[in-house]
Amino acid sequence: MMARMNTETFERALAAAARLTCCAALLGAGGSCRGGHSDAPDDVSEHSVKPPPAVVVESSAADPNNAEQLAAYRTSRLDACAAMIDQEFAPSDMKRGENPELADCCALVGEAQQVYWEDRRKREEGIKGGLDEPVPGYAEGWMMRGYHCCQINAWDGPECTPWGPPTPPSLERGHEQRSPRASVLDLRVAASEQARLRFGPAGLRASPALARRARATWLGRMINEHGSAEVFEGLAAQFDALERSEGFRLDARARGRLQGFAAEERRHGALCGAVVEGLGGRARAPAKADESFPAHPDARTPIEAALRNVLSIACVAETVAVALIGAERLTMPEGPLRGLLTEIYADECGHANWGWRVLPDLLARGSAEDPQLRARLGVYLRRAFAELEHHELAHLPVRATSCAGVGEPSTGEAALGLCEGSEARRLFYATVERVILPALEHHGLPARAAWRERALA
Ligand SMILES: [Fe+2]
Ligand SMILES: [Fe+2]
């Protein structure tokens, strides 16, 4: 049976995110809604598994553009693949090697069993007492086969790296990307110094397979976190301009906090790089694509333009980051890596909380001059939610599945910050539906409708 994220961890991570919203309606036990927001969250599990990325199949087997043919081909191939995996890895894993089909079979069977267990879990949630139907052959005994499949290169895919807030989208064009940046992000000096300080000369201990995945995880985080510094620089510059053009001035504390966020994100980048170095890797990678910070010239007022970015960056993306990092931190054993994660977590809480704190003043100022402001922000939120979902799912791949089986990370994985993709997705959707939407509605924004209609964006 698929293990799930510990319920207490899940609820504690959500409650911590809810506290940051300063939203009285959310501050009940466990962060669940009360008062005017008593509706229970929708079944988030219906979103938690999207169709997996296409498995590579031979071109002669099915038309890759024909979804029906592909699905039929995969189904017909599952049992053969399961048998091949058993044969290749039994009685020991010494026989694996040069079989080029094995990687594809591991991916095919792994994804199919992931979908199977997710479907089964959803049905069990709806049927008290569970299900009696037999487990199909390909899903039976996957714990062991999955472990072996994890060990081959083909299983290495993208890992869970969704933290840093992406550049906010503009309403019409999504992200206004300039061009791929040719530069390299090289944090080796700062990262190796932090690694020595925190993990000692021996670094972090891990098996080769786990170390490889953990390096990929933290290198991705390094890029995202460091890249988020430019997002906060853009936001700080926007508020400076707002003061000059509109006379809107944040209070001194909020202003000071905002000005420090970019430096915090760069530091997070170096800290994530320190984990890479501590695992024997190098904190050096292609820099994040260069994206222009949106000025939103189509907004009716500069306040509305600033609100779009505050909502997208702090109230939405950073609140999700708080929940995901919070859950990871709760499952990580005490030690220097947990200490590092706690430092990042504390800053991310500050980034999200800043947004929720400045939101009421901005809304009051903007709507005093423009009664339709909230309705128009609802239209922007559709776009912001669509981009958020795209970003989070892209950085929370279902394939980032526990090598110890399917479900929550094993102890060794949790100790290194590896996450289980489908469970992290479940937490993402719960954070949106149980924390962000009610908090935004509390401020009079039509957030639930915007979330429902995000596909229209
Ligand atoms: Fe960060
Ligand atoms: Fe942040």
Side-chain angles (χ1 to χ4, degrees), residues 59-352:
S59 56
S60 59
D63 177 356
N65 296 317
N66 184 324
E68 246 175 57
Q69 269 190 32
L70 265 182
Y73 175 70
R74 287 176 189 165
T75 303
S76 70
R77 204 177 169 207
L78 275 173
D79 285 338
C81 271
M84 178 199 284
I85 293 166
D86 277 346
Q87 188 183 356
E88 289 287 327
F89 289 130
S92 71
D93 62 354
M94 297 303 289
K95 290 176 70 179
R96 72 168 186 246
E98 298 305 314
N99 186 341
E101 273 193 76
L102 186 58
D104 283 351
C105 270
C106 276
L108 180 72
V109 176
E111 286 163 359
Q113 60 83 35
Q114 177 83 15
V115 170
Y116 167 77
W117 285 118
E118 276 297 321
D119 283 348
R120 188 179 168 114
R121 175 169 66 76
K122 280 189 275 184
R123 287 158 61 198
E124 281 179 333
E125 283 174 352
I127 303 170
K128 283 189 179 165
L131 300 168
D132 296 328
E133 103 274 12
V135 176
Y138 66 84
E140 220 168 53
W142 174 254
M143 296 281 279
M144 185 52 68
R145 293 199 295 265
Y147 177 80
H148 290 310
C149 278
C150 276
Q151 312 306 310
I152 66 174
N153 284 339
W155 199 253
D156 285 345
E159 299 288 348
C160 296
T161 58
W163 296 351
T167 305
S170 62
L171 189 54
E172 297 305 323
R173 284 180 290 170
H175 288 113
E176 296 171 18
Q177 201 161 80
R178 284 176 194 157
S179 57
R181 198 179 339 221
S183 61
V184 166
L185 175 63
D186 190 344
L187 301 181
R188 285 177 295 178
V189 173
S192 59
E193 185 186 337
Q194 285 293 326
R196 270 195 308 278
L197 277 172
R198 290 164 185 271
F199 311 129
L204 290 159
R205 285 169 172 253
S207 70
L210 275 185
R212 191 172 63 232
R213 292 184 59 209
R215 284 195 299 268
T217 298
W218 289 90
L219 196 68
R221 290 172 177 179
M222 179 186 92
I223 297 166
N224 279 349
E225 289 294 299
H226 192 273
S228 295
E230 290 184 0
V231 174
F232 280 113
E233 282 169 349
L235 192 62
Q238 186 175 32
F239 272 87
D240 286 346
L242 202 58
E243 187 177 336
R244 289 194 299 273
S245 68
E246 304 294 298
F248 181 88
R249 187 178 172 85
L250 293 170
D251 69 54
R253 185 150 185 270
R255 201 159 177 256
R257 288 172 75 191
L258 174 59
Q259 286 169 343
F261 289 165
E264 288 175 2
E265 296 293 7
R266 288 202 173 87
R267 184 164 167 278
H268 297 172
L271 290 176
C272 294
V275 185
V276 178
E277 294 272 337
L279 288 161
R282 291 290 167 263
R284 189 173 189 277
K288 197 172 163 184
D290 193 10
E291 291 172 332
S292 55
F293 190 80
H296 301 297
D298 57 316
R300 204 165 285 176
T301 65
I303 294 268
E304 181 181 347
L307 270 163
R308 288 184 184 181
N309 291 334
V310 167
L311 287 168
S312 175
I313 296 167
C315 300
V316 173
E318 291 287 38
T319 302
V320 170
V322 164
L324 294 175
I325 300 173
E328 180 173 317
R329 182 177 162 274
L330 287 169
T331 54
M332 189 178 277
E334 288 291 345
L337 187 53
R338 191 173 200 255
L340 179 150
L341 191 63
T342 300
E343 288 177 36
I344 294 175
Y345 178 65
D347 288 345
E348 306 301 3
C349 288
H351 301 173

